Amino acid sequence: MEIRTRFAPSPSGFLHVGGARTALFNYLYARANGGKFILRIEDTDQDRSTESSFQTILESMKWLGMNWDEGPEVGGENGPYKQSERLEIYKKFTEELIEKKHAYRCFCTTEELEIKKKQADAMGIPYVYDGLHANMTDREIQEKLDAGIPYTVRFKVPHKTVIVDDLIQGKVKFDAKLIGDFIIVKSDGFPSYNYAVVIDDHLMKISHVIRGVGHLSNTPRQILISEALGFDLPVFAHVSEIVGLDGKKLSKRAGATSILAFRDLGYTSECMVNYMALLGWTSEDSQEYLPNSRSAEIFDVARCSKSPSTFDVFRKMKEEEKETVNLTSLSTEDLAAYLNPKSKLNWLSNKYIRDAEIHDLTERIHPFLKDVKEIPEDIKKPGNPTLISMLDSIRVYLDRLSQAPPYLVEFFKNDISIEDEEARNIATSGNAGLVIQKFYALLSESSPVTGDDYKAMMDQTGKETSEKGKNLYMPIRVATTGKSHGLELPILFPLLGKDKLLNRIRQIATEINLIF
Ligand code: GLU
């Protein structure tokens, strides 16, 4: 059997982590089995579907590298791939269902149904449609049609037990009696989700339906429709929900941000794919770092866990933030403040950045450098040798590509000053002045080139001043950068060069009244 999976988003917002993870599992499962991955747009909710959401979804899928074999833009033999363009197809099946008495027209008005719902609420029982119009005669129906009374089409639910045999959740039983005859065609003529999905999955020959566990309760409805139409069932696999660090379902407050926000934060798409693959799935050898699209070779939906997976990218909200913060509406900069520095995503991302091919890294980092005016234009160019050596020396410190500019800017600064009180204390207490003076003197007299040359010079400074450890290199750090933290000095110094270093030390010395 050919494996055919699909991702079927409704274009009513951006693609968030939950949706992207669903798309990814379908994509990976198809790829791992040499199958096909189909993208279908479920835009039957006319009020909520928008063109911009459709475009954002496509952009997100492309950024993550989840190329679809059939769907919008690429076409395919089972199209069209937008449900709003398939209305004629659904109509034929609706006629068949009505003909075979598996469905009927319901002329109840919204007001009538509201009253019944309220009555059920008042009695504390779940509302189930009472099947009022299930047995109208042909004449009664014709009269209402002639009078132009709007109607919906309801599926006649047989009273039986439906068992969903789910690859992840196991066998789950549902009592169809509790479902009630549900609407399959709305009064605007558009099919309901549960109806269109069955027809499309069948016509598009979908073998595996992989989606969020929230859809498990819809599955008995879909099975009943499939049975009425004589369709074979696909394999169902409902993946468990994603929770935040607070253990609660991801919401706007807790990180259901657009997947593109992670691109803007500086995570690479490979890293994001790797991280999301682990949200509910583990490989046989429990490896977590899966570079070179490894997950697309080894992913198996049957190895997905029933328990919720934790999205640890954003830190837990403080009590006072819970009411006010909406992560989905923050600018990239503000959003960064809510990241959990110890997340698995950061750990993976750092590994990806460290292992990246360096030329490729200069290309990927370009969007984050292009507006930084302190970096000379020619250096920013992908492949520039200076940029390569700078990036190579700082990449171990980066969890995100967007963290590179402050490090790089350091290399190009001509004017520096003491950054804060901590730095000032370091440069002005104990033997610091002497250390700085000695280092300056040694540097003026020699021509160091490599990191080792500079290291030897620092050791010599230590010998001549009887200082070592922090008391030695911290004053030198402040005297050459103005800061109390940053790149390792033997890495930084060769990139700055002797003249720039001497100039910098003179500036700091003037600031702290140190005379050579
Ligand atoms: N359009 C549905 C959604 O976005 C698809 C659910 C499914 O995969 O069946 O949730």
Side-chain angles (χ1 to χ4, degrees):
M1 175 184 61
E2 191 191 19
I3 304 288
R4 289 175 60 87
T5 63
R6 75 341 184 243
F7 177 50
S10 304
S12 56
F14 46 67
L15 184 62
H16 55 72
V17 181
R21 195 261 316 240
T22 300
L24 181 66
F25 280 16
N26 280 285
Y27 169 80
L28 293 178
Y29 194 58
R31 290 292 169 264
N33 290 286
K36 293 273 184 299
F37 172 57
I38 289 109
L39 177 62
R40 180 175 73 226
I41 302 298
E42 303 208 324
D43 59 346
T44 54
D45 188 338
Q46 295 234 281
D47 298 335
R48 299 183 58 218
S49 301
T50 65
E51 174 65 21
S52 78
S53 161
F54 168 63
Q55 293 300 343
T56 310
I57 291 171
L58 296 196
E59 188 186 348
S60 306
M61 302 275 296
K62 286 178 195 169
W63 177 62
L64 289 168
M66 295 192 285
N67 304 322
W68 52 99
D69 303 300
E70 292 176 32
E73 292 184 350
V74 301
E77 56 191 35
N78 303 291
Y81 293 92
K82 265 189 176 175
Q83 288 187 327
S84 59
E85 292 165 14
R86 299 173 62 82
L87 299 184
E88 284 307 312
I89 298 175
Y90 308 127
K91 224 184 220 167
K92 281 200 209 106
F93 287 101
T94 311
E95 279 158 19
E96 184 187 328
L97 285 172
I98 294 178
E99 175 81 9
K100 293 189 175 155
K101 307 253 180 271
H102 286 304
Y104 58 90
R105 293 181 184 84
C106 165
F107 295 92
C108 290
T109 63
T110 321
E111 292 75 33
E112 283 165 351
L113 294 174
E114 267 315 309
I115 292 171
K116 287 181 188 176
K117 258 184 218 158
K118 279 201 183 123
Q119 282 169 347
D121 278 353
M123 287 158 71
I125 50 171
Y127 169 72
V128 178
Y129 178 68
D130 57 10
L132 182 69
H133 290 153
N135 300 309
M136 282 200 300
T137 63
D138 288 350
R139 226 180 100 190
E140 283 170 320
I141 295 170
Q142 199 52 50
E143 273 171 18
K144 292 199 187 278
L145 289 177
D146 291 344
I149 300 176
Y151 64 89
T152 58
V153 179
R154 285 184 186 267
F155 183 75
K156 201 170 185 175
V157 174
H159 288 186
K160 60 184 264 189
T161 302
V162 183
I163 296 171
V164 180
D165 193 359
D166 193 276
L167 206 53
I168 300 170
Q169 309 293 333
K171 283 194 168 63
V172 189
K173 266 192 201 167
F174 291 89
D175 182 355
K177 221 177 18 213
L178 303 175
I179 298 174
D181 296 351
F182 58 91
I183 294 175
I184 55 172
V185 182
K186 298 177 269 185
S187 54
D188 61 5
F190 275 67
S192 69
Y193 154 68
N194 277 309
Y195 181 45
V197 79
V198 170
I199 294 172
D200 289 346
D201 284 345
H202 169 73
L203 294 179
M204 295 179 184
K205 306 179 197 76
I206 301 302
S207 64
H208 289 69
V209 168
I210 304 170
R211 60 188 172 195
V213 71
H215 283 295
L216 184 62
S217 59
N218 286 321
T219 314
R221 290 177 174 79
Q222 296 171 13
I223 291 178
L224 291 171
I225 297 172
S226 293
E227 286 174 352
L229 288 168
F231 297 164
D232 287 338
L233 291 180
V235 175
F236 291 105
H238 287 89
V239 284
S240 296
E241 66 184 13
I242 304 176
V243 295
L245 279 176
D246 57 0
K248 295 204 181 106
K249 211 173 139 192
L250 280 195
S251 64
K252 289 193 172 162
R253 309 245 172 275
T257 43
S258 163
I259 205 72
L260 294 175
F262 298 98
R263 173 192 65 186
D264 302 340
L265 281 165
Y267 294 104
T268 62
S269 55
E270 290 85 347
C271 163
M272 219 44 220
V273 161
N274 190 152
Y275 179 77
M276 289 195 302
L278 303 175
L279 290 174
W281 169 76
T282 35
S283 66
E284 231 162 319
D285 57 6
S286 301
Q287 279 291 327
E288 297 204 303
Y289 179 52
L290 304 165
N292 305 318
S293 311
R294 197 151 152 62
S295 52
E297 287 163 19
I298 59 173
F299 182 83
D300 183 0
V301 73
R303 289 190 54 80
C304 285
S305 160
K306 241 171 129 166
S307 30
S309 51
T310 307
F311 181 74
D312 68 347
V313 174
F314 294 107
R315 65 167 170 76
K316 248 190 196 164
M317 288 271 169
K318 296 182 188 129
E319 244 356 275
E320 65 273 20
E321 289 169 342
K322 280 187 187 155
E323 292 303 308
T324 50
V325 180
N326 176 353
L327 294 180
T328 66
S329 63
L330 296 181
S331 67
T332 309
E333 212 170 290
D334 291 344
L335 187 60
Y338 291 91
L339 289 171
N340 162 22
K342 299 219 161 70
S343 68
K344 188 183 281 182
L345 179 63
N346 276 356
W347 170 73
L348 279 173
S349 182
N350 176 262
K351 274 174 103 55
Y352 273 89
I353 293 173
R354 278 183 0 213
D355 291 355
E357 195 276 308
I358 193 72
H359 192 287
D360 183 45
L361 196 62
T362 61
E363 258 167 46
R364 283 163 181 273
I365 215 150
H366 189 71
F368 300 97
L369 305 185
K370 70 178 183 346
D371 297 326
V372 184
K373 42 186 188 330
E374 292 92 334
I375 306 174
E377 287 306 314
D378 54 325
I379 304 274
K380 288 177 188 171
K381 290 205 183 106
N384 176 279
T386 309
L387 179 62
I388 286 185
S389 54
M390 287 177 175
L391 266 185
D392 210 14
S393 63
I394 63 166
R395 60 163 132 183
V396 294
Y397 303 102
L398 307 180
D399 288 338
R400 295 182 280 127
L401 299 176
S402 55
Q403 290 171 332
Y407 287 102
L408 295 175
V409 163
E410 276 310 308
F411 298 124
F412 300 102
K413 261 194 199 156
N414 285 322
D415 298 325
I416 61 162
S417 57
I418 302 251
E419 188 184 61
D420 53 21
E421 263 326 287
E422 192 188 345
R424 179 173 296 278
N425 283 340
I426 290 168
T428 52
S429 47
N431 242 351
L434 193 64
V435 168
I436 298 170
Q437 281 167 331
K438 196 78 233 162
F439 183 74
Y440 183 86
L442 287 173
L443 181 58
S444 323
E445 291 157 12
S446 53
S447 312
V449 178
T450 65
D452 283 343
D453 297 343
Y454 282 101
K455 175 110 196 5
M457 191 178 292
M458 282 196 277
D459 290 345
Q460 186 60 27
T461 309
K463 262 193 206 133
E464 294 186 22
T465 55
S466 305
E467 290 292 358
K468 55 179 194 249
K470 279 193 166 189
N471 289 346
L472 171 65
Y473 65 79
M474 287 305 269
I476 298 178
R477 175 182 292 289
V478 175
T480 52
T481 66
K483 296 177 182 190
S484 52
H485 43 79
L487 273 188
E488 279 175 43
L489 301 180
I491 292 173
L492 176 70
F493 289 170
L495 289 163
L496 285 174
K498 175 176 169 177
D499 292 343
K500 221 175 211 165
L501 280 170
L502 289 174
N503 185 32
R504 282 179 170 213
I505 299 172
R506 279 195 299 272
Q507 287 179 13
I508 297 293
T510 311
E511 200 179 335
I512 58 171
N513 296 322
L514 190 68
I515 299 155
F516 294 139

